[in-house]
Amino acid sequence: MIQYRFGVEGDLTAPSDDRLTVGDPRVIDFLSKLARKLLAPAVARRHPELGSLGFFLRPAELHRTVEHMRSRDALVFPRGNVFHIPPANVDTIFVYSWALSALAGNHNVVRISERSATAADTILTALNEVLADADPVIARTQRMITYGRDDKVTAALSQWADLRVIWGGDSAVEAIRKHPLRPSARDLTFPDRTSWAALSADGWRAADPAKRRAAVLGFTNDSYWFDQAACSSPRTVFLVGENTDDVRAEFVELLLSMVGERGWEIDAAMAVEKRVNAYGMAATGAISAMEFPANSVTAMSLITVPDAPRRWIGAGAFPFAEVGSLLELVPAMNRQDQTFSHFGFTSEQLREFALALGGRGVDRIVPFGQALTFGSIWDGYDLPREFTRLTTLVE
């Protein structure tokens, strides 16, 4: 059974006579009003992550994105029908994916996980409130639905789609790909990713206390907002420089303080799981020492960079490894790596690192505090352009 949570009920596989254009004013008006809902102080206090989403949907940002879509040496049109399967562990991803596709003029169906948390419910409430006064074409072309494990529904929507957007990791991609698309359609996939953080010892020591504190606040938000389970949340911290014990000690001390001030809590079950995973890494010879200063923070000392875990090992679990320079990390990076957040490096050092990678790994290099900031270029995809199609015209 399908439960409709936004839009109207109807045959989702039937073609619609409604036509939207790239940058359709009716869609821009709808998304702009949604942004105002999400930026309301009461909403931002309950769900700070929705403030970033609201900023992303502001009119100025929307017009900038549309301009980017249209800046082609061809005629630009919507891709058609788009079926989105977002993850359950990051409540806001479905809006970014859907909003860019709607802005491109597509008809969209978004499957909302039944395991989505309260932030998703807040978004859906806001969507329905804005829908009440929106142009009726929005309800006829944009659908948010939930349904259980029903292969028939997924198969039908896959046949309907011109583009299928699959989030959620390798297993999700493999499961959905069992349902064939039409020959003219294609997938846009977001499989398992790993993200890292790097801290320059020289840059840390040169920074004043306020800048150090601001850096740790940004790192805290990057790590704890989605229990460190988001694809762009850092898993391992690389300390770049020599004799970095003092830097690590102050960093962990500030992290403990910041986690307490922000009210992030790790329950006893998660603390036990982290401890089990830490002892498991010790048993394999990956780490030489571990610290458990609080349930909220587990710090481990990696023996070598290749020992850095690529799987999630618990909220607030941070292996540390010391390297002499960013370039020493290049051999360890691969296609699975997404976000590399940093503090204390010069522009030249970061650029040298990116050029040395040569596109073999790492799609985003951003400062602490911006790891979770969604951008229209994500996982190496230029999403606004992925959601459109081109027609060449030679006169």
Side-chain angles (χ1 to χ4, degrees), residues 15 19 56 87 137 144 146 184 230 233 254 271 288 318 328 363 395:
R19 293 290 181 267
F56 184 82
V137 73
M144 308 284 177
T146 57
S184 60
S233 297
L254 282 172
S288 59
F318 302 105
E328 292 183 24
D363 296 320
E395 298 179 355

Side-chain angles (χ1 to χ4, degrees), residues 321-336:
E322 182 179 300
V323 294
S325 73
L326 287 176
L327 295 182
E328 292 183 24
L329 298 174
V330 171
M333 301 290 108
N334 63 39
R335 291 287 188 187
Q336 184 179 331

Side-chain angles (χ1 to χ4, degrees), residues 292-312:
F292 306 97
N295 281 358
S296 57
V297 176
T298 299
M300 293 159 274
S301 300
L302 287 170
I303 293 177
T304 65
V305 169
D307 291 323
R310 291 185 171 276
R311 64 183 180 87
W312 181 78

Side-chain angles (χ1 to χ4, degrees), residues 111-192:
R111 179 186 179 181
I112 307 296
S113 172
E114 294 177 307
R115 296 181 288 116
S116 293
T118 56
D121 290 331
T122 300
I123 294 169
L124 290 166
T125 298
L127 282 166
N128 280 307
E129 289 173 353
V130 177
L131 182 67
D133 297 320
D135 189 293
V137 73
I138 302 298
R140 293 195 297 267
T141 60
Q142 313 299 318
R143 312 287 177 87
M144 308 284 177
I145 65 175
T146 57
Y147 61 90
R149 294 182 177 274
D150 192 326
D151 285 348
K152 290 183 178 179
V153 176
T154 301
L157 289 169
S158 296
Q159 284 293 302
W160 166 84
D162 296 296
L163 179 67
R164 186 170 57 184
V165 185
I166 311 171
W167 303 78
D170 293 356
S171 59
V173 171
E174 291 169 359
I176 297 298
R177 275 184 165 169
K178 294 176 182 178
H179 305 288
L181 296 166
R182 288 181 285 112
S184 60
R186 66 186 184 87
D187 282 326
L188 186 62
T189 60
F190 297 90
D192 289 339

Side-chain angles (χ1 to χ4, degrees), residues 12-180:
L12 293 172
T13 63
S16 170
D17 292 331
D18 293 302
R19 293 290 181 267
L20 297 172
T21 60
V22 174
D24 197 294
R26 297 167 293 183
V27 173
I28 291 178
D29 179 68
F30 182 82
L31 294 176
S32 299
K33 291 177 178 176
L34 174 62
R36 288 199 291 273
K37 290 277 186 183
L38 299 179
L39 289 170
V43 174
R45 280 194 298 271
R46 291 198 310 273
H47 303 289
E49 66 271 29
L50 299 189
S52 297
L53 175 58
F55 185 88
F56 184 82
L57 298 175
R58 294 184 312 156
E61 294 295 322
L62 298 177
H63 286 292
R64 189 175 295 113
T65 300
V66 171
E67 183 179 350
H68 175 66
M69 290 178 181
R70 291 173 174 165
S71 61
R72 315 289 287 276
D73 294 327
L75 301 176
V76 185
F77 298 102
R79 185 164 289 278
N81 299 329
V82 182
F83 177 31
H84 307 255
I85 306 101
N89 64 320
V90 182
D91 292 336
T92 56
I93 280 291
F94 79 90
V95 185
Y96 290 105
S97 178
W98 159 73
L100 288 171
S101 182
L103 197 59
N106 295 306
H107 292 203
N108 293 282
V109 173
V110 184
R111 179 186 179 181
I112 307 296
S113 172
E114 294 177 307
R115 296 181 288 116
S116 293
T118 56
D121 290 331
T122 300
I123 294 169
L124 290 166
T125 298
L127 282 166
N128 280 307
E129 289 173 353
V130 177
L131 182 67
D133 297 320
D135 189 293
V137 73
I138 302 298
R140 293 195 297 267
T141 60
Q142 313 299 318
R143 312 287 177 87
M144 308 284 177
I145 65 175
T146 57
Y147 61 90
R149 294 182 177 274
D150 192 326
D151 285 348
K152 290 183 178 179
V153 176
T154 301
L157 289 169
S158 296
Q159 284 293 302
W160 166 84
D162 296 296
L163 179 67
R164 186 170 57 184
V165 185
I166 311 171
W167 303 78
D170 293 356
S171 59
V173 171
E174 291 169 359
I176 297 298
R177 275 184 165 169
K178 294 176 182 178
H179 305 288

